[in-house]
């Protein structure tokens, strides 16, 4: 009596339309296994399902299914993540603002490209698992290029980052794709401390270094203009200066211990997905050893050995900008 369709279901007379609507409204349980996730994805997008040939965690897979459908001006059915995935969308937008580009060829072919250090394959693989696409090694460079051009995955990605892109050049590029697919471009709201954008931007443009001369730790990010860096200064502290090196760029950097430790707390909530996370995880140990003056310890002492051990772990990820 509580469910008018009970009798029809038992008689196998439920209409195809009803079953389609039922599937559209199903929510995925946290206990759903990866195999079931793959089967459900296969109903809607074979390109995305194909990405599951690469290993992906069950929680990441469930995140990709936590979707609701929305309509564009042209009636195109897009997929938009729920509020639970806001951190992911902000991180991805930050990554694209730093290392990505939206492309539209003269023939009208749309695509997205993200180029990262070869050590950041894990980060690109996560993006590939979410939207499909391909990852290839760039010839003559220690870099990988992720490329997404199939329509279903690209529309899903556009819908996810729309409203989170902050780079003015990237907004112009995104607007061209939005115009092609009759989607309204959404401008970002003012950046706040509790926003995953910095995490993605850091994965693209950030560095974590220790000045060997004065043993001072710093976190920094560089850009050709100060447009994206000024909000970081206002929210997270630090300074901005013009780097007169070969790149002739603006650099935001922080060196104060309290500012850096606040950022470490930030990254616990909005984690880095690039290889740079290895150094972020070592920062608390750096301060612990420096407080003990291990970097000045006499040769052969346990403190000196502890500093050497730390330094060897630190150098396992040598940022290209350090060279």
């Amino acid at each position: 009596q509580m469910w008018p369709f009970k009798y029809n279901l038992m008689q196998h007379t439920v209409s195809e339309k009803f079953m389609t609507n039922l599937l559209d409204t199903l929510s995925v349980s946290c206990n759903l296994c990866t195999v079931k996730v793959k089967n459900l994805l296969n109903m809607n997008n074979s390109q995305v399902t194909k990405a599951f040939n690469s290993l992906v965690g069950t929680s990441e897979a469930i995140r990709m299914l936590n979707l609701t459908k929305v309509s564009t001006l042209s009636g195109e059915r897009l997929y938009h993540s729920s509020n639970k995935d806001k951190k992911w969308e902000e991180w991805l937008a930050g990554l694209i603002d730093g290392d990505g580009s939206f492309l539209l060829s003269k023939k009208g072919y749309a695509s997205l490209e993200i180029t990262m250090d070869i050590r950041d394959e894990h980060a690109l693989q996560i993006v590939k698992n979410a939207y499909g696409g391909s990852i290839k090694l760039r010839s003559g460079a220690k870099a990988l290029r992720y490329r997404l051009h199939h329509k279903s995955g690209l529309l899903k990605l556009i819908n996810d980052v729309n409203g989170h892109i902050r780079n003015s050049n990237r907004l112009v590029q995104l607007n061209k794709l939005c115009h092609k697919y009759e989607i309204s471009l959404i401008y970002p709201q003012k950046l706040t401390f509790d926003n995953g954008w910095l995490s993605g931007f850091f994965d693209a443009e950030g560095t974590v270094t220790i000045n060997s001369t004065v043993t001072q730790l710093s976190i920094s990010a560089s850009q050709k203009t100060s447009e994206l860096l000024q909000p970081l200064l206002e929210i997270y502290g630090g300074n901005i200066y013009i780097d007169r090196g070969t790149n002739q760029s603006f650099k935001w950097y922080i060196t104060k211990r309290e500012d850096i430790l606040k950022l470490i707390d930030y990254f616990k909530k909005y984690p880095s997905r690039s290889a740079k996370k290895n150094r972020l995880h070592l920062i608390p140990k750096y301060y612990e050893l420096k407080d003990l003056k291990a970097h000045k310890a006499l040769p052969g002492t346990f403190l000196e050995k502890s500093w050497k051990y730390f330094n060897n772990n630190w150098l396992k990820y040598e940022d290209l900008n350090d060279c």
Side-chain angles (χ1 to χ4, degrees), residues 92 95-96 99-100 112-116 124 127 144-146:
L92 181 58
L95 183 70
I96 292 172
D99 276 345
L112 165 78
E113 291 185 359
I114 304 174
T115 302
M116 299 185 75
L124 293 179
V127 179
L144 297 173
R145 175 172 290 169
Y146 166 75

Side-chain angles (χ1 to χ4, degrees), residues 41-54:
L41 276 173
N42 192 44
M43 296 177 185
N44 293 313
N45 190 342
S46 60
Q47 294 288 341
V48 173
T49 306
K50 185 178 179 181
F52 274 80
N53 290 333
S54 301

Side-chain angles (χ1 to χ4, degrees), residues 68-72 78-81 89 131 153-164 174 178 183-184 186:
T68 54
K69 291 186 177 182
V70 296
S71 299
T72 65
L78 298 183
Y79 292 92
H80 185 66
S81 302
E89 296 167 355
Y131 305 101
L154 189 58
L155 286 174
K156 180 171 176 284
L157 183 143
I158 291 172
N159 195 51
D160 281 353
V161 301
N162 194 11
H164 302 298
L174 177 60
C178 286
I183 302 170
S184 296
I186 303 173

Side-chain angles (χ1 to χ4, degrees), residues 23 28 32-54 56-58 60-67 79 128-132 152 156:
L23 285 173
V28 182
L32 188 63
C33 68
T34 306
V35 175
K36 291 181 180 179
V37 171
K38 180 176 179 180
N39 289 337
L40 283 172
L41 276 173
N42 192 44
M43 296 177 185
N44 293 313
N45 190 342
S46 60
Q47 294 288 341
V48 173
T49 306
K50 185 178 179 181
F52 274 80
N53 290 333
S54 301
V56 58
T58 303
E60 189 73 27
I62 291 174
R63 183 198 66 75
M64 287 183 266
L65 271 178
N66 193 14
L67 309 169
Y79 292 92
K128 179 185 174 183
N129 287 340
Y131 305 101
S152 58
K156 180 171 176 284

